[in-house]
Amino acid sequence: MVRTPLTPEERLRGERLGRLLREARGERSMVAVAASAGISAETLRKIETGRAPTPAFFTVAALAGALGLSMDELLGRCALEAAGSVGSEASAEPAVVPLIA
């Protein structure tokens, strides 16, 4: 089966998610968080580095739970970071960030 290449937006979204999960993990070990979420440390490593930019919903939900985040909080953080990276000029209008892509 041939996988369709990811768009630049999909790659950025995966990198953003990985960065947010890494920040939420803090000083906790990758192995401990991965075990708590029921995934391998290698899977967590790939997600955090953006090499797995489209992890399954249940994987993200398990990681959020292991990190003490709600899915709403994780989505909110992703949206805030995406809004901060949309355009470089200041605007009086808030950025519109798609919730589902």
Side-chain angles (χ1 to χ4, degrees), residues 2-69:
V2 176
R3 183 175 261 185
T4 305
L6 297 173
T7 66
E9 287 107 8
E10 290 170 327
R11 288 185 194 277
L12 286 174
R13 193 170 51 236
E15 290 170 6
R16 190 169 37 249
L17 174 64
R19 188 171 39 255
L20 290 169
L21 291 172
R22 170 64 187 100
E23 289 170 5
R25 183 167 59 84
E27 296 299 315
R28 290 176 275 186
S29 79
M30 188 177 285
V31 172
V33 171
S36 179
I39 63 172
S40 71
E42 182 58 24
T43 295
L44 179 54
R45 180 178 292 105
K46 286 178 181 178
I47 294 169
E48 285 186 355
T49 60
R51 287 189 354 233
T54 57
F57 173 81
F58 292 107
T59 300
V60 175
L63 282 168
L67 294 168
L69 299 171

